[in-house]
Amino acid sequence: EVQLVESGGGLIQPGGSLRLSCAASGFTVSAHYMSWVRQAPGEGLEFLAVIYGDGRTYYTDSARGRFTISRDNSKNTVFLQMNSLRTEDTALYYCARGNDNGGSDYWGQGTRVTVSP
Amino acid sequence: EIVMTQSPATLSVSPGERVTLSCRASQSVRIYLAWYQQKLGQAPRLLIYGASSRATGMPARFSGSGSGTEFTLTISSLQSEDFAVYYCQQYNTWPYTFGQGTKLEIK
């Protein structure tokens, strides 16, 4: 059974750092593209970063320069290192698996990040 | 960045009705368009990929159509469990982008 379990969220002050983890089971993360998507309270969905099977990474403007997506194949886990956090980064952060045919077919339950003084 | 625009923002419908949700892209995304359903407190669920292919396990009452810049999601006969927010998302060009969502409410 495919599962994604995010962790690492919490309450952090502006300017702080967090490292989110997405532990996968039931498939190999290096065989799919994996994404981080966030959802601010009461808002829609926003892609942040993606890592492809060959290791290529891409970022949106919101994430570029502050966030880093990475992968540990031995742990079958994807990470999102978030630095210089701002109040507007407050959101529920999801990791999602890329479907071979398009879209993201499996999502974790999300980990909540709150950036507040 | 490709902007995805969904309409309407909210739709009030009765169970059993047929509904059509629209999604427009600011430039062509060919058929690289997905639809998701998100219920309150849950993660999104993939409904449609490739503009018209149902994801594994999705009921046949959900169908997608379109290409280029105009897309629709049709639910042939609304069930109580279908009241949720629906998002379209293009994956033709990075950054992948979502529409702002259409909320289906019970009339």
Side-chain angles (χ1 to χ4, degrees):
Chain A
E1 179 191 6
V2 171
Q3 276 196 318
L4 296 169
V5 179
E6 301 97 334
S7 61
L11 176 62
I12 188 82
Q13 291 188 337
S17 298
L18 281 175
R19 189 194 197 202
L20 306 184
S21 300
C22 172
S25 57
F27 74 102
T28 301
V29 293
S30 60
H32 293 262
Y33 75 86
M34 299 294 295
S35 304
W36 284 97
V37 176
R38 70 182 178 185
Q39 188 167 36
E43 300 296 325
L45 300 164
E46 177 189 19
F47 270 98
L48 293 171
V50 62
I51 183 166
Y52 285 90
D54 62 7
R56 286 176 296 142
T57 58
Y58 295 91
Y59 299 90
T60 63
D61 287 347
S62 297
R64 191 176 298 113
R66 297 189 300 130
F67 296 177
T68 303
I69 189 171
S70 62
R71 184 177 71 205
D72 185 332
N73 292 340
S74 68
K75 296 180 179 178
N76 212 33
T77 298
V78 178
F79 303 98
L80 185 69
Q81 176 67 43
M82 303 191 297
N83 299 329
S84 302
L85 283 162
R86 306 164 180 164
T87 56
E88 55 264 36
D89 295 318
T90 293
L92 186 61
Y93 286 70
Y94 293 104
C95 74
R97 186 184 89 162
N99 179 23
D100 288 344
N101 296 310
S104 296
D105 57 358
Y106 285 92
W107 296 64
Q109 83 289 351
T111 187
R112 191 164 300 279
V113 172
T114 303
V115 185
S116 179
Chain B
E1 173 176 311
I2 297 176
V3 177
M4 307 301 293
T5 303
Q6 292 185 241
S7 60
T10 305
L11 195 54
S12 296
V13 292
S14 300
E17 284 189 26
R18 177 186 177 92
V19 295
T20 299
L21 284 58
S22 296
C23 175
R24 173 176 292 178
S26 61
Q27 62 190 78
S28 176
V29 299
R30 297 182 285 177
I31 61 164
Y32 300 118
L33 191 284
W35 289 94
Y36 299 86
Q37 176 193 69
Q38 188 178 33
K39 297 180 180 179
L40 192 64
Q42 296 185 16
R45 182 171 72 153
L46 179 66
L47 292 174
I48 300 286
Y49 62 88
S52 61
S53 298
R54 269 191 306 277
T56 303
M58 293 303 112
R61 63 181 181 273
F62 292 95
S63 63
S65 64
S67 66
T69 62
E70 301 284 343
F71 301 89
T72 59
L73 174 70
T74 299
I75 310 173
S76 59
S77 178
L78 270 172
Q79 306 298 301
S80 57
E81 62 266 30
D82 299 336
F83 290 94
V85 179
Y86 292 82
Y87 294 95
C88 62
Q89 177 235 317
Q90 66 82 18
Y91 52 96
N92 182 73
T93 306
W94 184 260
Y96 301 155
T97 46
F98 291 95
Q100 80 280 16
T102 291
K103 183 178 181 180
L104 289 187
E105 292 183 334
I106 301 176
K107 183 185 286 185

